[in-house]
Amino acid sequence: MTWAVWAPLIIPFLAVPAARRLAAALPPRPAALLLVATAVTLALLSGAALALLAGAAVLRLPAVAALGHLSVPLLERLAPAAVPVGIAAALAAGAVAVAVGRVLHGHRVARARTARELAGHSRAGDLTVLPVEGADAYALPGRPGGVVVTAGMLRGLDADERAVLLAHERAHLTGRHHLLLLLARLAACAHPALRGLREPLAFQVERWADETAAAAVGDRRLAARAVARAALAASAAPTGRARPAGALPAAAGPVPRRVAALLSAPPAARGSLARARSVTAVLLACLLVSGAAAAEATTDFHEDIETAQAAAGSPAPAGS
């Protein structure tokens, strides 16, 4: 294989800053989707690169070479360092698999724990009110899932602000923001650079819910006031209870930035993209180069196999 196999492992270090910068110029919904799509694409391509590097080492195992009718000496000449590099890639791929398994297991455990916790409280539709004096509110995905609000939070807001709060949390559920965040967590397991997309994604999904709530009540200033008051109430009177894993709290993220964004005009996607053309071009180039390199590395891998099979099947030179 050529240098192409290394490109998907290097490009995330260039693509992540570009994706973060481009997302900051977009409205929340397309920004969040861009970040998730970038993370998943780069994770899959880097995983493919690790698989190809590990596969090149596996081909040199006597049992595998015999099964595939491969000439190991020829493979050694084509890539002398394939075995140590492949072992390192296999260890890295194993670490990725373990990390992904832990994330998925933790996700399942959290959903089961949430179901048990909510089973002891009465519900009104999708709303569960906890008889707790501290102020908190969050969306819980899954089944039973829904919106959870403490009595203390409801008392700290007026009727209009409560409407914003509930619209914000329901926006998390209808937008399936928990799945976007889960995909970003899984992608971050595949490549360390992709961890840099989790924080901006968390901010963008909060902004997405803020904008949805503002549209629902028809008043951006009211939405900004509700976000600020909910955050102040939660900081002044915490519940002392740990939120269930996977909860999407109303007072998450940099609240001053969220409030300032609501008090400004809603961003326009077309104008933002025009202003960020150079960053868009860089990100697209990174994704295209990474995808093309992975495809070329895969082709090289198959060609090496075919060459090794042809060499193994050719007659031995005279006098050998």
Side-chain angles (χ1 to χ4, degrees):
M1 285 180 287
T2 63
W3 60 270
V5 74
W6 298 101
L9 299 173
I10 297 171
I11 284 178
F13 293 104
L14 304 175
V16 166
R20 289 171 61 104
R21 186 171 178 181
L22 180 57
L26 293 175
R29 185 176 184 274
L33 297 177
L34 167 78
L35 292 170
V36 172
T38 300
V40 171
T41 300
L42 294 174
L44 291 174
L45 292 173
S46 64
L50 290 178
L52 289 171
L53 289 170
V58 170
L59 293 179
R60 286 150 175 81
L61 295 174
V64 175
L67 184 63
H69 306 290
L70 304 174
S71 170
V72 174
L74 179 62
L75 290 174
E76 293 292 347
R77 288 197 299 272
L78 291 174
V83 172
V85 170
I87 291 173
L91 292 174
V96 169
V98 170
V100 167
R102 286 178 176 173
V103 170
L104 293 175
H105 176 70
H107 182 70
R108 288 193 297 269
V109 170
R111 291 185 64 170
R113 186 183 301 121
T114 297
R116 291 194 299 270
E117 180 174 335
L118 294 184
H121 299 280
S122 60
R123 291 165 58 90
D126 66 344
L127 179 63
T128 300
V129 179
L130 300 180
V132 176
E133 291 302 315
D136 201 3
Y138 47 86
L140 277 177
R143 297 174 183 176
V147 178
V148 179
V149 185
T150 64
M153 176 66 83
L154 293 178
R155 282 194 291 269
L157 305 177
D158 63 30
D160 291 337
E161 292 164 349
R162 288 196 292 270
V164 173
L165 178 73
L166 296 180
H168 174 100
E169 297 305 335
R170 286 171 177 142
H172 281 316
L173 297 175
T174 57
R176 303 184 73 80
H177 295 167
H178 63 289
L179 291 181
L180 301 183
L181 295 171
L182 177 61
L183 286 173
R185 286 185 65 195
L186 294 173
C189 296
H191 197 289
L194 300 180
R195 298 171 189 168
L197 296 178
R198 291 183 59 186
E199 181 271 331
L201 175 61
F203 173 70
Q204 293 297 344
V205 298
E206 290 302 325
R207 286 281 300 116
W208 182 349
D210 288 342
E211 292 292 339
T212 303
V217 299
D219 189 338
R220 296 177 65 83
R221 295 187 66 85
L222 170 61
R225 187 177 79 232
V227 168
R229 290 196 62 185
L232 287 173
S235 62
T239 63
R241 302 168 69 253
R243 295 189 190 101
L248 297 169
V255 174
R257 284 179 60 196
R258 291 170 54 195
V259 171
L262 284 168
L263 293 177
S264 63
R270 184 173 299 176
S272 300
L273 277 173
R275 290 192 298 272
R277 283 177 182 168
S278 59
V279 183
T280 305
V282 170
L283 179 59
L284 284 176
C286 287
L287 295 175
L288 289 174
V289 170
S290 185
E296 181 178 343
T298 302
T299 300
D300 291 341
F301 183 76
H302 286 295
E303 289 178 351
D304 289 348
I305 293 175
E306 292 174 353
T307 302
Q309 287 175 334
S314 62
S320 61

